[in-house]
Amino acid sequence: MDFQLTEEQLAVQAAARDFAQTELWAGVIERDEHQKFPAEQIKKMGELGFLGMMVSPEYGGGGMDTVSYVLAMEEISKVDASCSVIMSVNNSLVCWGLEKYGTEEQKRKYLPRLTSGEIIGAFALSEPEAGSDATSQRTTAEDKGDYYLLNGTKNWITNGTTASVYLVVAQTNVELKHRGINVLIVEKGMEGFQTGPKENKLGIRGSDTCSLMFNDVKVPKENRIGEDGFGFKFAMQVLAGGRIGIAAQALGIASGSYELALKYSKERKAFGVPIAQHQAIQFKLADMATNIDAARLLCLQAAHDKDAHQDYAKSGAMAKLFASKTAMDASVEAVQIHGGYGFVKEYHVERLMRDAKITQIYEGTSEIQKIVISREILK
Ligand code: CAA
């Protein structure tokens, strides 16, 4: 087994680390405090190739592998998990899905602008009554011949107000259940399409999340992705890959928390010595480091499986399940190690702790990951 990263992968990791430290660190507290969307930063991420990393250069992407994507996601998430969720949705859910299953016309129309950051994309599956239970879609896409008539509401949509292109999951034929679902490309500005107000969130406050409302939106037939009724499988496949990105986001939140806690514990003195010399702190650091290494190995395993065209539903779900718990645990311990300083914003760890929670909820809760894993084990 070869655990060495290639020169290209190391270069991507270094570039992402450099970008995160020089461009994201300075304003991250303010963006979190004011729920400010990182427009300038996302523009730069597009210019540097972080928004379409795995897309073929033919469509403006970086043509990179999933391992490189995981490495970049970790580095960016260490500093700003709001930027990394925007990056993850654009890369894993929107660009990957479009490149894999879109028509040539759809790819040429949207991918170059999505990969360059000129526009960003969103993926709309969740509804007021269909989150984990994804087959129970209430949004309808009625077949009207040369167009679909789209009606319904979507909830918790990342990039909701800022996206220009939305991949919307909707039911066309209720009798066929999940086999009657389609995914349509909806553009901002289509008549009858409105976005709701930004949600006021606990974490990842720089990213914008909102509801989408569709009221008799006419979506041309050529905007459907794949064959009629392919929508649910499309959504499941896209989410299986998306979970690797969110696992890497969680890994970054964990390792960012750990690095801050390690640095602080060498500087802060108590009882005459740096607190790192106390066993109570050493045990915490040892647990954090061990879990983070294990989470990283799971993320890289899932990324490797995807790059090797092997099934990655189970390894991706395992990576997300474990990395998101590690993010939660490590960020709570980082606050504890910082003591009172950990409870104030200037020290960053309280933000990482708030950001960690969503990684156990979106792109499938931890319970959903256990369903996916156990089904794969038992089948
Ligand atoms: N690849 C391809 N097909 C898949 C698949 C995969 N990974 N997983 C399931 N399918 C297919 C099945 O083969 C089946 O097809 P057939 O009936 O034709 O054989 C079909 O999908 C239905 O599968 P299930 O019977 O397993 O479906 P289910 O209703 O029992 O649910 C589930 C399975 C895993 C619970 C699924 O509903 C699920 O993943 N739910 C969570 C959804 C989710 O992640 N929501 C988060 C929203 S997105 C988000 O958060 C983005 C963001 O903004 C950050």
Side-chain angles (χ1 to χ4, degrees):
M1 229 182 287
D2 186 1
F3 287 96
Q4 294 303 312
L5 298 174
T6 64
E7 269 181 32
E8 289 81 6
Q9 289 162 346
L10 288 168
V12 171
Q13 185 182 44
R17 186 176 297 152
D18 182 57
F19 171 74
Q21 298 299 332
T22 55
E23 304 279 350
L24 299 181
W25 180 258
V28 65
I29 292 175
E30 199 210 335
R31 290 194 295 277
D32 169 75
E33 175 100 357
H34 300 294
Q35 295 217 90
K36 194 168 166 225
F37 185 81
E40 255 175 61
Q41 291 75 11
I42 292 298
K43 191 169 169 283
K44 282 193 185 144
M45 284 168 74
E47 286 161 9
L48 291 170
F50 290 123
L51 295 184
M53 292 184 68
M54 294 167 289
V55 173
S56 146
E58 197 188 339
Y59 304 110
M64 290 175 228
D65 58 10
T66 318
V67 168
S68 300
Y69 170 54
V70 161
L71 298 171
M73 277 294 295
E74 180 184 354
E75 292 305 324
I76 287 167
S77 307
K78 275 183 193 176
V79 178
D80 190 342
S82 295
C83 282
S84 70
V85 72
I86 299 163
M87 169 178 167
S88 177
V89 167
N90 205 67
N91 274 281
S92 304
L93 303 185
V94 180
C95 288
W96 186 84
L98 270 172
E99 184 170 25
K100 175 98 176 150
Y101 293 109
T103 61
E104 194 52 37
E105 202 190 341
Q106 290 167 348
K107 291 192 243 189
R108 298 226 172 267
K109 186 167 177 192
Y110 299 110
L111 282 175
R113 287 185 293 151
L114 283 164
T115 54
S116 67
E118 184 189 331
I119 59 171
I120 55 170
F123 178 77
L125 171 81
S126 301
E127 297 189 353
E129 290 175 73
S132 294
D133 180 9
T135 54
S136 295
Q137 295 289 309
R138 298 274 186 275
T139 299
T140 53
E142 214 183 318
D143 190 338
K144 293 284 190 186
D146 55 355
Y147 66 90
Y148 287 101
L149 197 61
L150 187 64
N151 278 290
T153 301
K154 295 287 173 184
N155 269 22
W156 318 123
I157 306 307
T158 303
N159 301 342
T161 65
T162 41
S164 301
V165 176
Y166 301 76
L167 306 188
V168 180
V169 183
Q171 187 82 51
T172 296
N173 189 331
V174 181
E175 281 166 21
L176 292 178
K177 297 187 179 152
H178 67 271
R179 293 187 185 135
I181 288 174
N182 282 309
V183 170
L184 306 179
I185 305 170
V186 175
E187 293 184 21
K188 184 172 260 161
M190 281 184 168
E191 209 180 324
F193 171 32
Q194 281 186 307
T195 58
K198 249 169 110 158
E199 302 289 351
N200 188 0
K201 297 174 297 191
L202 173 73
I204 54 161
R205 286 167 58 82
S207 75
D208 76 303
T209 309
C210 71
S211 298
L212 311 178
M213 281 79 74
F214 304 103
N215 187 8
D216 283 343
V217 182
K218 287 182 177 173
V219 184
K221 266 276 169 70
E222 65 260 25
N223 283 26
R224 187 184 72 213
I225 300 185
E227 293 298 306
D228 187 24
F230 179 64
F232 192 75
K233 284 214 169 180
F234 174 84
M236 288 299 108
Q237 289 202 21
V238 154
L239 280 170
R243 285 167 188 157
I244 304 175
I246 297 302
Q249 180 192 38
L251 169 65
I253 293 170
S255 51
S257 303
Y258 166 74
E259 286 174 14
L260 289 169
L262 182 64
K263 182 168 176 284
Y264 181 82
S265 67
K266 289 179 186 167
E267 290 164 2
R268 166 79 177 174
K269 285 193 175 143
F271 304 102
V273 290
I275 58 171
Q277 289 186 28
H278 296 300
Q279 219 173 34
I281 302 296
Q282 291 170 358
F283 283 1
K284 286 188 195 301
L285 292 171
D287 279 341
M288 287 159 96
T290 305
N291 286 324
I292 288 165
D293 271 12
R296 190 176 292 108
L297 286 171
L298 281 173
C299 286
L300 292 173
Q301 171 75 61
H304 169 272
D305 288 349
K306 186 161 177 283
D307 290 336
H309 307 290
Q310 290 164 9
D311 192 359
Y312 52 88
K314 185 178 78 171
S315 54
M318 282 180 165
K320 183 176 182 291
L321 176 67
F322 189 78
S324 59
K325 183 170 186 319
T326 302
M328 206 63 249
D329 294 348
S331 59
V332 168
E333 287 296 49
V335 171
Q336 191 68 20
I337 289 171
H338 279 76
Y341 294 99
F343 208 62
V344 295
K345 292 188 187 292
E346 292 92 300
Y347 284 78
H348 294 266
V349 284
E350 65 80 36
R351 187 190 72 257
L352 290 163
M353 185 178 81
R354 287 186 284 106
D355 289 347
K357 188 61 209 168
I358 193 62
T359 66
Q360 294 185 304
I361 298 172
Y362 59 22
E363 295 197 23
T365 59
S366 297
E367 293 73 19
I368 289 290
Q369 309 313 315
K370 290 180 194 181
I371 291 175
V372 173
I373 296 162
S374 58
R375 282 184 181 183
E376 292 290 326
I377 292 168
L378 296 168
K379 84 180 178 193

